[in-house]
């Protein structure tokens, strides 16, 4: 059995359609009114805007907020893009900074090589480090100077400041430098200011130890370590490093050479040591023999002859 519809529903549909038609007509009239180009219509539009728009601030607030949000989002996008560009530029600047620091350090090392004060009798050949051994059991480097440059086994090699090692193997165009940290390295040194002589012994660590110190109680951490020149291994007076003490109480040397950045090495040409074979010139003259009759006539000074004496009164 069909239910009877309420009487109110019979009027709802036509009323909605009527209201929609009226709204459309009003909007169409408003559109036509806004399109008409007439002074009277313009004044009417101005009056309508003055009366209606200020009363619709509450309705425009969400629209204004939405517009502001969109603008802020666009501004955030621009800031994000600028931030990404700045990050890329910062990475490039870091790369340039690192390159500039490397060039500055290389320039400083070259200046050190030119300005370091050595024995004036020592001459040198500067070479570029080509490679290192890369072995935990042998520490050495290759340089690009060899027999064609007059390099000889046993010569000392330095960086811009301190002793690095010695030549141990010479080819025509390359040479091998055994570092002071190698286990086969044994260097006679002098510890200043006490002047104690000792032996620097490599143990494949960055800080080789010092052994056979003459008087261990006279040396202190911080003392300078120089080559002593004993045995003709190295010229005397080359800077090796600074004395330090490990936690076990053993004396070690912080090397002056920068082993982390070995790029240029100076090979010192050793000069021949002057041998003293005749000690007679170093002994004082013999004393006069004691005689009862006076001094030895052989040691008496020679007097001029009588004929050589000027005559009195001859002026």
């Amino acid at each position: 059995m069909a239910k009877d519809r309420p009487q109110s529903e019979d009027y709802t549909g036509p009323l909605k359609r009527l209201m929609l038609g009226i709204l459309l007509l009003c909007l169409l009239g408003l559109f036509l009114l806004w399109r008409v180009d007439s002074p009277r219509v313009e004044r009417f539009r101005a009056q309508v805007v003055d009366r209606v728009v200020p009363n619709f601030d509450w309705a425009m607030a969400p629209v204004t907020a939405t517009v502001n949000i969109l603008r802020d989002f666009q501004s955030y996008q621009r800031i994000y893009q600028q931030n990404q560009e700045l990050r890329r530029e910062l990475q490039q600047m870091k790369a340039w900074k690192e390159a500039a620091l490397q060039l500055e350090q290389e320039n400083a090392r070259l200046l050190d090589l030119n300005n370091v004060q050595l024995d004036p009798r020592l001459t040198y050949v500067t070479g570029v480090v080509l490679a290192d051994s890369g072995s935990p059991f042998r520490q050495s480097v290759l340089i690009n100077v060899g027999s064609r440059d007059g390099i000889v086994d046993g010569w000392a090699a330095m960086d811009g400041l301190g002793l690095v090692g010695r030549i141990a193997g010479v080819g025509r165009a390359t040479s091998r430098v055994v570092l002071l940290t190698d286990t086969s390295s044994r260097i006679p040194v002098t510890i200043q200011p006490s002047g104690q002589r000792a032996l620097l012994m490599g143990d494949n660590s960055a800080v080789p130890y010092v052994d056979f110190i003459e008087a261990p109680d006279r040396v202190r951490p911080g003392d300078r370590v120089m080559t002593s020149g004993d045995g003709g291994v190295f010229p005397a007076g080359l800077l090796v490093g600074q004395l330090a003490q490990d936690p076990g109480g053993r004396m070690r040397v912080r090397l002056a050479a920068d082993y982390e950045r070995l790029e240029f090495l100076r090979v010192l040409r050793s000069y021949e040591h002057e041998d003293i074979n005749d000690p007679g010139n170093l002994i004082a003259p013999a004393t006069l023999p004691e005689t009862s009759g006076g001094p030895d006539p052989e040691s008496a000074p020679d007097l001029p002859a009588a004929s050589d004496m000027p005559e009195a009164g001859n002026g």
Side-chain angles (χ1 to χ4, degrees):
M1 181 177 179
K3 294 183 179 180
D4 295 335
R5 293 181 299 177
Q7 187 176 2
S8 60
E9 294 182 0
D10 295 338
Y11 301 100
T12 302
L15 185 59
K16 289 181 177 179
R17 288 191 291 271
L18 179 61
M19 294 297 294
L20 181 61
I22 294 173
L23 180 61
L24 290 175
L25 289 175
C26 291
L27 293 175
L28 180 61
L30 183 62
F31 174 76
L32 293 176
L33 179 64
W34 230 256
R35 298 290 296 178
V36 174
D37 188 10
S38 173
R40 293 181 179 180
V41 175
E42 182 65 28
R43 288 194 297 269
F44 176 74
R45 285 198 298 261
Q47 293 177 0
V48 170
V49 170
D50 291 340
R51 290 179 178 274
V52 175
V53 172
N55 296 328
F56 276 85
D57 290 340
W58 61 270
M60 296 299 295
V63 178
T64 304
T66 303
V67 172
N68 292 333
I69 291 174
L70 292 176
R71 290 177 178 174
D72 292 342
F73 181 74
Q74 293 175 353
S75 176
Y76 172 77
Q77 283 184 329
R78 289 193 297 269
I79 292 174
Y80 177 78
Q81 293 175 356
Q82 292 176 358
N83 189 21
Q84 294 298 320
E85 293 177 359
L86 289 175
R87 287 178 180 273
R88 287 192 293 269
E89 292 179 359
L90 181 60
Q91 292 295 331
Q92 294 177 355
M93 292 298 295
K94 286 182 177 180
W96 282 108
K97 178 183 177 182
E98 183 64 25
L101 287 175
Q102 292 179 1
L103 290 175
E104 181 182 3
Q105 293 171 357
E106 181 177 341
N107 187 31
R109 284 191 293 272
L110 289 174
L111 290 176
D112 288 337
L113 286 173
N114 289 330
N115 296 330
V116 66
Q117 298 297 324
L118 298 174
D119 192 320
R121 291 174 295 177
L122 291 176
T123 58
Y124 58 86
V125 178
T126 301
V128 178
V129 176
L130 300 177
D132 57 28
S133 62
S135 171
F137 305 104
R138 181 175 176 84
Q139 297 194 6
S140 62
V141 295
L142 287 177
I143 57 177
N144 66 342
V145 290
S147 59
R148 66 181 181 184
D149 305 292
I151 304 299
V152 177
D153 272 332
W155 283 1
M158 302 181 65
D159 71 347
L161 185 60
L163 184 65
V164 172
R166 58 184 173 83
I167 300 295
V170 180
R172 181 180 177 277
T174 59
S175 301
R176 181 174 295 278
V177 179
V178 175
L179 305 180
L180 298 181
T181 56
D182 189 82
T183 54
S184 63
S185 177
R186 302 290 187 271
I187 306 300
V189 294
T190 301
I191 303 174
Q192 300 295 346
S194 62
Q196 299 300 307
R197 297 183 182 275
L199 198 63
L200 179 66
M201 308 178 72
D203 58 353
N204 281 345
S205 69
V207 187
Y209 65 93
V210 180
D211 207 350
F212 303 109
I213 303 176
E214 291 178 333
D217 56 338
R218 297 182 59 185
V219 299
R220 297 288 184 273
D223 291 349
R224 289 168 60 86
V225 180
M226 317 285 291
T227 56
S228 64
D230 293 339
V233 179
F234 287 127
L238 302 181
L239 177 63
V240 177
Q242 197 172 35
L243 202 64
Q245 190 172 16
D246 62 10
R250 195 170 198 177
M251 288 297 178
R252 293 182 174 271
V253 175
R254 292 193 183 96
L255 299 175
D258 187 4
Y259 276 61
E260 298 296 329
R261 296 182 179 274
L262 291 180
E263 296 183 9
F264 303 95
L265 291 184
R266 166 180 288 181
V267 181
L268 303 181
R269 296 188 179 98
S270 298
Y271 53 87
E272 296 293 335
H273 295 280
E274 183 178 357
D275 295 332
I276 301 177
N277 299 319
D278 185 9
N281 295 332
L282 302 179
I283 300 176
T287 58
L288 296 176
E290 296 181 358
T291 58
S292 58
D296 187 358
E298 295 181 358
S299 61
D302 295 335
L303 297 177
S307 59
D308 298 334
M309 297 291 290
E311 296 182 0
N314 292 336

